Amino acid sequence: MLTVHTIAELRHALRHTERPAFVPTMGNLHAGHLSLMERARTLGDASVASIFVNRLQFLPHEDFDQYPRTFEADRQQLEAAGCDVLFAPREADLYPEPQTFKVLPDAHLADLLEGEFRPGFFTGVATVVMKLFCAVFAGKPHGVAVFGQKDYQQLMVIRRLVQQFALPIDIIAGPTLRADDGLALSSRNGFLSPAERAESVALSQALRQLADAGLAAGTDLPGQAPALETAARQALAARGWQPDYLTLRRRADLLAPQPGDGAGALVALGAARLGSTRLIDNLEV
Ligand code: PAF
C-alpha cells in the first residue's frame, strides 16, 4: 500500500487507474470501515482510502481536538485489508488557504435531524467530500465511493451532491456493523466509559421498539408518530440519556410519514448523548 499526503502525489499514484474505488474516513478505523474497504476492493481497478479529520464539519464546541487520531494502527489495518493507496493529507494539503468556497446542500435535506442539532455540519461534509472526490476522481472516466449506512442522512446528502453536480461516481452504501449486543460500531464508541458502554445498547433497542411500534400503528402511523417518538425520547431520557431525536421518517426524503406511505418506506433514526458522547444510529423499518 502506498501512503501519500498531497493531492499531486495522489494523482500521480492513480495516473493509470481508470476506475478508483474510494472510501473516505476520518480514521480511528473499526471493522465497519474495513468492511467498506473490502467492498471497495471489488468495485474498481484500484482501491483508495482517505484519512482526514475534517475541521469544517465540527461545530466550535464539538470534539475536533479530542477526535481519536490513531494513524499508524489505521495504516496497518488498511494495508492488511488490501487497500492500494492511502491518502492522508495534512490540513495544509487539503486546506492550504481558508476554504471560502463551500458546497451548500439542499436545506430541506440538510437542515433537519443532524443538521438541526449540528448546524453547518453537512456543509462541512459536502465540501470536504467534494474536495476529496476532485482529488481522487478528477480526469477519471468513472469512479465509485463507498459510505456507511450508519450515517444515513450523510449518505443521502452525498447521493444528492453526486446527482446535482452530475459527477461520474457510483455511491455504494455499506451496511452498519454492530457489536454482539447491537451497538452500531463507531469511532466515538471509544469515548464511552465501561458503564456507558453497557448502557449504550439502549439506543439501538429504542430504535427497534420505535420501528416495531410504527409497524403496529399501520395506516394510523402519521397520526400516532409524534406520540410514539415522544415516548421513545422520554424512555431514553429516563435512563440518563439526552436524546436529540428519535424519529420515524420516510426513507425517500426524511420527512414525517404521510397518509398512504407504506411501512416499508420508513426508517427509524436516533441521536442521543450518553455522558459526553453523542451517538447516532438508524434502522430501516
Ligand atoms: O463519515 C465520515 O467519516 C466523514 O463525515 C467523511 C465522509 C469522511 C467526511 O469527512
Side-chain angles (χ1 to χ4, degrees):
M1 182 181 74
L2 188 66
T3 300
V4 296
H5 300 288
T6 68
I7 294 176
E9 287 167 349
L10 175 67
R11 289 185 176 151
H12 184 73
L14 295 178
R15 65 195 178 287
H16 300 306
T17 301
E18 296 234 313
R19 183 177 160 88
F22 178 42
V23 181
T25 82
M26 296 208 301
N28 194 238
L29 304 183
H30 49 67
H33 294 112
L34 299 176
S35 74
L36 304 181
M37 194 67 237
E38 269 151 33
R39 187 80 197 277
R41 283 185 60 210
T42 67
L43 297 170
D45 54 352
S47 58
V48 185
S50 66
I51 295 180
F52 182 67
V53 185
N54 173 38
R55 188 186 290 277
L56 286 190
Q57 70 191 71
F58 289 78
L59 296 182
H61 65 274
E62 289 185 341
D63 53 357
F64 175 76
D65 289 329
Q66 287 77 41
Y67 198 84
R69 287 159 175 87
T70 50
F71 180 76
E72 189 45 33
D74 295 344
R75 198 193 60 73
Q76 287 175 19
Q77 292 193 84
L78 286 170
E79 184 147 48
C83 175
D84 295 312
V85 181
L86 167 58
F87 179 42
R90 293 150 294 218
E91 199 150 23
D93 293 312
L94 218 53
Y95 299 131
E97 56 187 60
Q99 184 70 28
T100 49
F101 276 56
K102 304 224 168 107
V103 178
L104 281 183
D106 310 40
H108 60 263
L109 176 58
D111 287 2
L112 57 155
L113 303 176
E114 283 303 284
E116 181 186 340
F117 290 92
R118 304 180 69 192
F121 169 68
F122 287 118
T123 299
V125 169
T127 302
V128 79
V129 167
M130 182 61 120
K131 198 147 187 177
L132 291 167
F133 280 180
C134 290
V136 174
F137 298 114
K140 305 296 177 196
H142 208 239
V144 53
V146 189
F147 288 84
Q149 196 157 1
K150 175 171 166 288
D151 296 299
Y152 200 89
Q153 193 177 2
Q154 168 174 284
L155 182 60
M156 291 180 73
V157 167
I158 288 160
R159 285 193 196 285
R160 284 287 287 165
L161 175 144
V162 165
Q163 182 199 339
Q164 287 231 329
F165 287 100
L167 302 177
I169 303 168
D170 290 335
I171 301 299
I172 305 293
T176 303
L177 260 57
R178 297 182 179 278
D180 288 344
D181 63 357
L183 174 68
L185 298 190
S186 161
S187 300
R188 289 192 167 94
N189 293 351
F191 291 138
L192 298 169
S193 69
E196 289 168 345
R197 172 64 191 84
E199 170 59 25
S200 61
V201 64
L203 179 59
S204 62
Q205 288 170 345
L207 289 173
R208 161 67 57 203
Q209 282 162 15
L210 183 59
D212 288 347
L215 273 180
T219 53
D220 291 338
L221 180 61
Q224 287 189 23
L228 296 176
E229 293 171 359
T230 302
R233 278 197 311 275
Q234 285 174 346
L236 216 48
R239 302 176 65 106
W241 293 68
Q242 295 163 270
D244 283 346
Y245 58 85
L246 274 100
T247 185
L248 284 163
R249 296 296 171 103
R250 308 195 310 191
R251 289 188 208 174
D253 53 16
L254 297 185
L255 296 179
Q258 300 297 310
D261 287 345
L266 296 174
V267 56
L269 301 124
R273 203 172 290 278
L274 185 56
S276 57
T277 307
R278 186 172 183 276
L279 300 177
I280 67 169
D281 199 356
N282 65 79
L283 190 68
E284 286 186 340
V285 178

